[in-house]
Amino acid sequence: MGDVLAGFHAAWEFASDSVHIRFERGIRTPKLFQALGERRVPHEAISAVALSPGKRGTVVLHAVPRPGADPLMDAAAGQLREGSDPYRLVLPAERADLAEYYADELRPLLTHRTAEEPLDHHLVEPPEAPLSFKAYDGKATFDGSTVFYRWSWTGASSAKWKAGDQRFPVADLSGVEWRSPELFEGHLRLLRRDVPQPPAQADQDPGALVFGLGYGPVHESLPFAASVLAAVRSTGPAGATGAPHSPGGRRDPADIADRIRHLGELHRAGLVTDDEFLSKKAELLAEL
């Protein structure tokens, strides 16, 4: 093929082996689409395609992704709103016949394999690292092999301050848990091989970042989660395991001083014991 079907916010190009989705960057385009830019979806990653009536004089061409084919949809775990689903192309109702034509052209190309067959690798490329985003209680960065958490001064719990900034090699992870910030108590939790039962509360778990109040939006936190998930899956179960720890190397003295001041505030408030205060202060000073 190679024909292009343009709809609201996106255009689909039908190639011989895939559907190439290009998202617009207009002000009305969902921010997740703008963040993704474009995606190539192999036919093997699609289990079905359907056309259905949309809202306010539109129709929707929906390619149903095969479970396990796309790290973005795996990380989303069904939590995306319809308007943010990258596999839905919304078109004016008068283009329904044209959309049905392309759906009919695509369907025979999906029958060469069984959609229920398990996949041992993702078929759609994840968002590329490096990636970062700000959560309510910290900032996350991912360089492609390691995830770093740096706690914020005001949002992080005393449990996270006690644990210190975190470093998670991909080989130490077994997966990710993303809860949409558009739902109640959104968070990103890294599932660690050496911590089979992390704290139930995300604000008490050094492996989790809490969303809310405009922090951790879908268009930033979900591509991040998808990229980490894809890296974990490509590493496989044989990766080395180890406890997360604070990153090494020299630190900015002003940064260390601010952290010690904050630690002192927690100590005066009774949230940190004398021994914990002295131990953590020594760790911070050792980073200078």
Side-chain angles (χ1 to χ4, degrees):
M1 292 185 281
D3 294 343
V4 176
L5 180 62
F8 299 113
H9 311 315
W12 289 12
E13 179 182 355
F14 298 90
S16 59
D17 61 348
S18 62
V19 177
H20 194 168
I21 303 175
R22 295 185 177 87
F23 299 103
E24 295 180 357
R25 297 190 177 275
I27 191 171
R28 300 187 180 212
T29 302
K31 289 184 178 180
L32 177 60
F33 293 178
Q34 296 184 50
L36 294 174
E38 60 182 73
R39 313 194 83 210
R40 191 185 72 85
V41 183
H43 293 156
E44 188 181 2
I46 303 172
S47 62
V49 60
L51 186 69
S52 61
K55 299 177 181 178
R56 293 189 287 274
T58 64
V59 293
V60 178
L61 183 60
H62 185 200
V64 181
R66 185 178 174 188
D70 186 345
L72 188 86
M73 303 307 285
D74 280 0
Q79 299 173 77
L80 284 179
R81 295 178 177 178
E82 285 189 350
S84 297
D85 185 341
Y87 286 86
R88 298 174 81 253
L89 180 65
V90 182
L91 308 110
E94 57 266 24
R95 308 195 74 186
D97 289 344
L98 185 60
E100 187 61 55
Y101 166 78
Y102 284 112
D104 288 341
E105 290 286 305
L106 184 58
R107 287 185 184 106
L109 303 177
L110 311 180
T111 59
H112 64 283
R113 52 103 192 105
T114 303
E116 289 73 23
E117 290 177 356
L119 289 169
D120 58 3
H121 64 285
H122 289 121
L123 301 173
V124 181
E125 291 295 322
E128 292 185 2
L131 294 167
S132 66
F133 74 93
K134 287 185 178 180
Y136 175 70
D137 55 358
K139 180 180 180 181
T141 58
F142 179 50
D143 62 7
S145 62
T146 305
V147 180
F148 300 90
Y149 285 176
R150 181 176 179 180
W151 306 122
S152 70
W153 301 117
T154 56
S157 65
S158 60
K160 292 183 177 180
W161 275 106
K162 290 177 185 179
D165 292 346
Q166 299 291 298
R167 175 181 180 273
F168 304 95
V170 166
D172 292 354
L173 304 177
S174 60
V176 302
E177 177 185 271
W178 182 79
R179 293 292 177 266
S180 173
E182 297 176 343
L183 303 175
F184 183 66
E185 296 184 344
H187 64 260
L188 171 66
R189 190 193 304 272
L190 300 178
L191 305 179
R192 294 153 285 171
R193 299 183 190 278
D194 61 331
V195 185
Q197 292 184 324
Q201 300 264 342
D203 65 341
Q204 300 299 311
D205 182 3
L209 288 170
V210 176
F211 304 152
L213 302 177
Y215 293 94
V218 171
H219 70 281
E220 293 179 357
S221 60
L222 180 56
F224 186 102
S227 184
V228 175
L229 179 62
V232 171
R233 190 167 182 182
S234 66
T235 300
T241 60
H245 55 280
S246 299
R250 294 183 63 85
R251 301 285 289 275
D252 183 358
D255 180 37
I256 296 297
D258 284 341
R259 289 173 178 269
I260 291 176
R261 274 195 294 272
H262 182 76
L263 187 65
E265 293 171 1
L266 294 175
H267 180 234
R268 287 189 292 274
L271 298 174
V272 175
T273 66
D274 291 344
D275 289 343
E276 289 170 340
F277 171 75
L278 293 174
S279 174
K280 188 59 182 177
K281 181 179 177 181
E283 289 179 17
L284 291 169
L285 290 173
E287 294 180 27
L288 289 172

